[in-house]
Amino acid sequence: MRIRLLAVAAACVGAFAAVSAQNGPREVSLVVTGGTVVTMDPAGRVVPNGAIAIDGTDIQAVDTAGNISKQFRGRDTIDATNQVILPGLINTHTHAPMVLYRGLADDLALTEWLNKYIFPAEAKTVSPEFVRAGTRLALVEMIQSGTTTFADMYYFEEEVARETKQAGMRGVLGQTVIQFPVADAKTPADALVRAESFITLFKDDPLITPAVAPHAMYTLDGPTLKAARDLSRRHNVPTLIHVAETRDEVQTAQERFRASPVAYLESLGFLGPGVLAAHGVWVNDADIAMLKARGVGVSHNPESNMKLASGIASVPKWIEHGVHAGLGTDGAASNNDLDMFEAMRFAALLHKVATSDPRALPARQALELATRRGAEALGMSNRIGSLEPGKQADLITITMADARQTPVFDAISHIVYVAHGDDVRNTIVAGRVLMRDRQVLSLNTSDVLRDARAMVERVKVAVSSETKEKR
Ligand SMILES: [Zn+2]
């Protein structure tokens, strides 16, 4: 027994090859091999010609291809030669079904865009069927562009959850609570009841983390904000909310409560670990200190903020002050896609021009926002965000061999400044291969596109009648 214990200890300190050599390589479910492994672990380890051994849902080992082949034999193997092996990307803020409103209304400010186009379109088109079709379309796009976890805020969130689970994707999925009547709830009280039964349905699911999503401080009264937060605290699930997205919101908070949106939420006892605040464009220094002190995660969404001209979030300052920051696309209606590579690139470029400092938000930091830091922002860093033994096998491989990626001096530079979502070859979540060599396996892409197009016909009808009513 003592010898066996010593053997286990030896394996833990990395002398596994010597021990297992006597018995031959251990069989595992999947080995991804031959690529440059960018682990995004705290030490920033990069392994050229590396490999990852996966068994079931977990990463067993990350090492050179040679060492992995001595220790493990995969029942399945993915050859990642001339590719980078990277943790799957984490999108910390989106509204998946809104892909069906992609390009519906562009070049408008948030308030006008929301009140004149999005809210009315949603009032006429959102249904369980709409949400299912939209979520499936978003899932295909996310799997194809290397996202493996997404945080979502929408209606009929149980439908988002069912489709997400079915497609093998990981989601932190928030049931929306909003003050006015919407498709899935006549009142905020109805929405809270719906949120609670959603939580009960998906609590302890390995892929789905149910959450409560009070829309924003300007679309909800104080008692409802408190009730939504209490509900998530009671069930120990995350709270997703838009915070300080626009100047209008800051003005509203100032007029109604003589406080910033962050200070107002703090006065309600709302802030704390488990809260994910989207945007944070207009936070002041005291707000940043408060977000840090309360352990709130904040999602930066550069493309949406740029497109709606909401402003520039002071992300380098957040990071400097230790705020848990992640990166998101926001919904496709204000982006207009779910490609996290674009989000990384825009983040890196935006903060350089905003600070007149080319050293601001360097490539590695942009990649951290989309991986390790995003996991921290969602409170999931013990399970995802880096390639380390014991963590969930959520990973992607990206080609580095095409004209556009040649030559490669630094893989991380290419991931942020060159790669597109289309360069992702394989997408794996919890050890399951969701896309293999660009072929999505967990969804029937042509069916998904057909259903989405059919649903969009209804959106067109609804929007054209809306336009007529306005005249
Ligand atoms: Zn949003």
Side-chain angles (χ1 to χ4, degrees):
M1 181 51 103
R2 195 180 155 75
I3 289 164
R4 210 176 273 167
L5 277 176
L6 282 173
V8 170
C12 293
V13 295
F16 195 78
V19 176
S20 63
Q22 297 150 10
N23 311 321
R26 189 182 128 210
E27 189 177 277
V28 291
S29 55
L30 175 63
V31 170
V32 182
T33 185
T36 300
V37 185
V38 176
T39 65
M40 300 311 288
D41 70 5
R45 188 162 74 120
V46 175
V47 188
N49 192 16
I52 298 198
I54 296 162
D55 203 29
T57 59
D58 299 349
I59 295 173
Q60 298 295 312
V62 180
D63 209 331
T64 61
N67 282 345
I68 291 288
S69 74
K70 278 183 214 145
Q71 296 165 39
F72 301 97
R73 189 181 64 250
R75 284 191 292 281
D76 186 11
T77 304
I78 289 178
D79 180 3
T81 305
N82 292 325
Q83 296 177 40
V84 159
I85 306 171
L86 188 71
L89 304 177
I90 299 170
N91 184 345
T92 50
H93 180 65
T94 191
H95 312 278
M98 291 185 82
V99 288
L100 295 175
Y101 301 129
R102 193 195 321 263
L104 173 70
D106 294 316
D107 309 327
L108 296 167
L110 177 77
T111 313
E112 191 183 2
W113 175 80
L114 263 184
N115 293 328
K116 279 201 184 152
Y117 294 89
I118 298 303
F119 286 153
E122 285 182 333
K124 294 196 169 173
T125 52
V126 172
S127 66
E129 200 186 356
F130 175 96
V131 168
R132 283 196 295 272
T135 301
R136 283 197 297 267
L137 182 65
L139 286 164
V140 168
E141 186 183 351
M142 288 191 276
I143 291 168
Q144 286 178 336
S145 55
T147 294
T148 55
T149 295
F150 69 107
D152 192 71
M153 300 170 69
Y154 213 60
Y155 308 104
F156 298 108
E157 201 68 30
E158 71 283 357
E159 304 294 348
V160 178
R162 280 190 195 107
E163 295 297 342
T164 302
K165 189 174 164 63
Q166 178 90 22
M169 183 80 119
R170 197 181 300 283
V172 178
L173 308 179
Q175 167 63 39
T176 289
V177 181
I178 199 160
Q179 205 73 36
F180 50 81
V182 286
D184 66 351
K186 285 200 180 71
T187 65
D190 289 353
L192 289 167
V193 169
R194 178 175 271 282
E196 184 150 30
S197 50
F198 168 57
I199 293 166
T200 315
L201 214 52
F202 285 92
K203 194 90 198 274
D204 303 320
D205 187 279
L207 288 174
I208 307 301
T209 304
V212 185
H215 178 265
M217 61 72 58
Y218 62 93
T219 46
L220 285 164
D221 62 23
T224 311
L225 282 166
K226 273 189 182 171
R229 184 65 184 133
D230 286 347
L231 176 62
S232 30
R233 280 203 173 107
R234 229 170 27 248
H235 291 277
N236 194 25
V237 298
T239 311
L240 314 178
I241 182 168
H242 297 98
V243 177
E245 181 174 1
T246 61
R247 274 198 176 115
D248 283 356
E249 181 179 337
V250 174
Q251 204 179 329
T252 302
Q254 201 58 44
E255 282 166 11
R256 288 189 201 161
F257 310 108
R258 301 255 145 258
S260 71
V262 170
Y264 168 62
L265 290 170
E266 169 65 9
S267 76
L268 296 177
F270 189 97
L271 303 178
V275 173
L276 192 283
H279 300 299
V281 174
W282 297 99
V283 293
N284 59 36
D285 289 355
D287 294 336
I288 292 175
M290 184 56 73
L291 293 168
K292 160 68 182 157
R294 292 284 174 263
V296 171
V298 187
S299 178
H300 175 43
N301 312 290
E303 294 163 273
S304 173
N305 295 163
M306 289 166 79
K307 187 155 182 281
L308 298 166
S310 300
I312 304 172
S314 47
V315 179
K317 209 184 221 180
W318 302 354
I319 293 174
E320 192 188 314
H321 286 82
V323 172
H324 294 312
L327 188 64
T329 57
D330 208 348
S334 64
N335 183 303
N336 291 353
D337 63 34
L338 305 177
D339 186 338
M340 285 293 290
F341 288 88
E342 278 183 11
M344 284 192 275
R345 183 136 69 241
F346 274 108
L349 299 181
L350 175 61
H351 297 290
K352 294 179 202 319
V353 74
T355 56
S356 300
D357 181 359
R359 293 164 301 181
L361 211 76
R364 173 170 279 278
Q365 220 167 54
L367 182 54
E368 284 172 2
L369 288 175
T371 55
R372 203 180 77 230
R373 288 177 187 272
E376 275 169 17
L378 291 174
M380 296 170 84
S381 55
N382 58 338
R383 298 166 65 206
I384 58 170
S386 61
L387 300 177
E388 297 177 75
K391 281 203 175 180
Q392 292 282 293
D394 289 14
L395 55 119
I396 59 176
T397 76
I398 309 160
T399 186
M400 284 285 152
D402 289 343
R404 194 156 38 77
Q405 297 105 9
T406 304
V408 185
F409 294 108
D410 172 4
I412 291 176
S413 163
H414 273 15
I415 293 164
V416 174
Y417 294 123
V418 175
H420 299 171
D422 290 356
D423 297 327
V424 174
R425 304 298 313 176
N426 298 284
T427 301
I428 299 164
V429 175
R432 179 179 171 196
V433 183
L434 306 187
M435 179 172 77
R436 191 168 192 129
D437 220 10
R438 292 299 299 160
Q439 189 77 36
V440 175
L441 304 176
S442 61
L443 287 144
N444 183 325
T445 307
S446 53
D447 287 358
V448 169
L449 293 177
R450 181 201 60 209
D451 295 349
R453 287 184 188 120
M455 197 56 68
V456 166
E457 289 310 310
R458 295 195 206 173
V459 177
K460 283 182 189 161
V461 172
V463 174
S464 73
S465 66
E466 178 71 24
T467 322
K468 274 180 211 143
E469 280 165 27
K470 272 197 203 108
R471 278 199 203 117

